[in-house]
Amino acid sequence: MSVAQRKVPGRTAGDRTQAVGHASLRRANLATVLRHLRDEGSCSRSDIADATGLHRATVSSLMAELLDRGLVREVGIEYVGAVGRPRRAVALDGSHVGVLGTEINVDYAALYGTDLGGRVLVDRRVGMDAMGMGPDRAIKELGRVARNAIEELVRAGATPAGVGVAVPGLVDVVRGAVAFAPNLGWRDVALTVRLRAEIGHVRVPVMADNDANLAALAEYTGGIAAGTPDMVYLTGEVGVGGGIVVAGRLLRGADGFSGEVGHMPVDPTGSRCGCGRTGCWETKVGLAALVRSATPELAYGLGGAPSPDPEERVTQIARGLAEGDPRAHAAVAEVGRWLGLGGSILVNLFNPSVIVLGGYFAKLAERLIPPAQAELERLVIAGPAARCRFVASALGFGAASRGAASMVADQVINDPAAIGSAPIAATAPTLAGQ
């Protein structure tokens, strides 16, 4: 028998396949237990076994691993039954696991960091002319502020498990690449690879998605319309995007590029859009359009002094409304009408029960919603039967960065075995519990 023919003693291919299958099953079971604790709070091992259908011995083994990884903690004794039989309760911990969500937009970067238990450790927005910088300088600057935020997580005792990035454009989630972000002027940018290099010495996985999708994730899991199975979230930024939830699931489309509602053509004789087309919805309702009408002296693209933070721009317009400035009143009323027109198209297509207004829309909701609601009800084909209403988000300009942090946290929950071992794989985010 030749050397090539001689069998090497040890594990066979079948053994290896069985081992891989066992490891995958264990990862899935760990995630099942952790999701149950996240959704239900503290409970006993017996309760977990009954709720998940896992064998009690299996739950005990899984719990030992989760305790060892620091993802759960024992919280005391519960007494159940007539004789008061004690059971030791456990709860989700993760205080030593940090997640960082970031957003890069036309004129700012936002950062939102928490531990796995939801304790907020970082929450701020940094002025940044990402549109003027170009992708190279913008990613370098985002890397710098992300490094500072990661250091804050570490000082608070939370080791970072990943960084999520929200981008106003088309994002290939699997590759972590920005296919096209018209308002940033980016095309085919390998964002996650480059940002990971800029973050440098802290080796963490980086994942990216569209800002509206991530804002919708944040809204669905913890916003004013939390748990609403059919809803649309609209970003109110320089650009306008939509996160669309249908039957409790984020609508991503065949290539993951759904939700670019700001580029619905609504006025063929209108202004040229940053995407190169004419009359897109965001040319009517985006923050740039409102600023140009209400405070033309502060219009985007004028150059000179650093661009004000978007919230500063909105504050100035709100001040004009309070002072009775006719220019501000006319501009906001016009945006409200166009908001209702575009909203009616979304209602006719998806029949949501709620359209959540984020970003600057939420800041001016008191003035925007009445004309928007009236126009929507006039134009929706189902009329009052559609029963859709506009509501203002309470998450403000930070919704997308919150969603980016949730995306990372979901990956930890879905693959708890990655903590302390292999990096978390970058996959498309899902809504909570899916």
Side-chain angles (χ1 to χ4, degrees), residues 284-375:
K284 301 294 186 180
V285 300
L287 181 55
L290 176 63
V291 169
R292 189 168 54 248
S293 297
T295 54
E297 67 279 4
L298 295 176
Y300 283 86
L302 291 181
S307 297
D309 179 272
E311 201 152 12
E312 292 176 31
R313 294 179 185 271
V314 177
T315 298
Q316 183 149 347
I317 292 170
R319 188 179 302 119
L321 291 170
E323 294 171 354
D325 180 355
R327 194 171 57 177
H329 278 275
V332 171
E334 183 70 0
V335 167
R337 285 191 290 273
W338 281 106
L339 194 56
L341 183 149
S344 72
I345 297 172
L346 299 177
V347 172
N348 287 336
L349 286 173
F350 302 111
N351 188 210
S353 56
V354 172
I355 298 177
V356 181
L357 300 178
Y360 97 82
F361 294 147
K363 297 294 182 182
L364 299 178
E366 184 179 341
R367 303 280 187 161
L368 286 172
I369 287 179
Q373 190 72 41
E375 192 72 355

Side-chain angles (χ1 to χ4, degrees), residues 340-341 343-344 347 370-384 386-390:
L341 183 149
S344 72
V347 172
Q373 190 72 41
E375 192 72 355
L376 180 143
E377 291 173 2
R378 185 178 74 84
L379 295 173
V380 168
I381 193 68
R387 298 191 306 277
C388 180
R389 70 190 194 283
F390 286 101

Side-chain angles (χ1 to χ4, degrees), residues 31-324:
T32 296
V33 170
L34 211 53
R35 277 196 298 270
H36 180 77
L37 289 172
R38 177 192 64 186
D39 297 340
E40 303 299 329
S42 65
C43 51
S44 70
R45 292 164 175 78
S46 297
D47 293 335
I48 294 169
D50 292 342
T52 62
L54 295 171
H55 193 277
R56 293 191 181 193
T58 300
V59 171
S60 293
S61 173
L62 296 169
M63 196 58 62
E65 180 172 343
L66 291 171
L67 283 164
D68 184 59
R69 292 179 182 275
L71 294 173
V72 301
R73 70 184 191 280
E74 294 184 329
V75 293
I77 302 295
E78 294 179 349
Y79 292 90
V80 295
V83 296
R85 184 161 50 89
R87 293 178 178 178
R88 189 173 295 278
V90 292
L92 178 68
D93 188 1
S95 58
H96 74 294
V97 179
V99 297
L100 178 65
T102 68
E103 178 193 4
I104 187 164
N105 217 302
V106 171
D107 47 9
Y108 69 88
L111 303 105
Y112 188 80
T114 72
D115 64 19
L116 200 58
R119 180 172 54 124
V120 179
L121 305 175
V122 178
D123 185 7
R124 64 173 171 272
R125 196 167 58 248
V126 180
M128 186 173 94
D129 182 12
M131 178 173 59
M133 285 179 170
D136 294 341
R137 289 175 56 205
I139 293 171
K140 184 177 289 293
E141 178 63 10
L142 182 61
R144 184 187 69 80
V145 297
R147 281 197 307 274
N148 292 339
I150 287 171
E151 289 170 3
E152 291 181 53
L153 296 181
V154 172
R155 284 196 296 272
T159 301
V163 176
V165 191
V167 185
L170 303 178
V171 179
D172 183 329
V173 173
V174 175
R175 292 194 304 119
V178 179
F180 182 37
N183 291 310
L184 293 176
W186 293 11
R187 278 189 184 273
D188 301 320
V189 176
L191 175 60
T192 59
V193 172
R194 294 170 66 174
L195 182 57
R196 193 179 299 117
E198 291 297 334
I199 290 173
H201 65 283
V202 182
R203 295 187 60 191
V204 292
V206 179
M207 53 200 83
D209 200 355
N210 169 266
D211 62 338
N213 284 343
L214 292 176
L217 173 64
E219 194 63 52
Y220 183 87
T221 55
I224 192 169
T228 303
D230 295 278
M231 58 169 277
V232 173
Y233 178 93
L234 296 178
T235 61
E237 308 278 356
V238 171
V240 175
I244 300 162
V245 178
V246 176
R249 301 187 69 85
L250 189 65
L251 183 67
R252 305 194 62 83
D255 300 303
F257 294 158
S258 67
E260 287 297 322
V261 299
H263 299 289
M264 296 188 300
V266 295
D267 183 5
T269 63
S271 304
R272 189 171 179 82
C273 181
C275 72
R277 297 167 179 82
T278 298
C280 292
W281 191 29
E282 74 177 40
T283 67
K284 301 294 186 180
V285 300
L287 181 55
L290 176 63
V291 169
R292 189 168 54 248
S293 297
T295 54
E297 67 279 4
L298 295 176
Y300 283 86
L302 291 181
S307 297
D309 179 272
E311 201 152 12
E312 292 176 31
R313 294 179 185 271
V314 177
T315 298
Q316 183 149 347
I317 292 170
R319 188 179 302 119
L321 291 170
E323 294 171 354

Side-chain angles (χ1 to χ4, degrees), residues 7-39:
K7 288 186 178 180
V8 178
R11 297 174 66 183
T12 66
D15 292 333
R16 288 192 295 272
T17 300
Q18 185 176 14
V20 170
H22 177 75
S24 297
L25 178 61
R26 187 170 182 83
R27 281 175 180 255
N29 287 341
L30 286 167
T32 296
V33 170
L34 211 53
R35 277 196 298 270
H36 180 77
L37 289 172
R38 177 192 64 186
D39 297 340

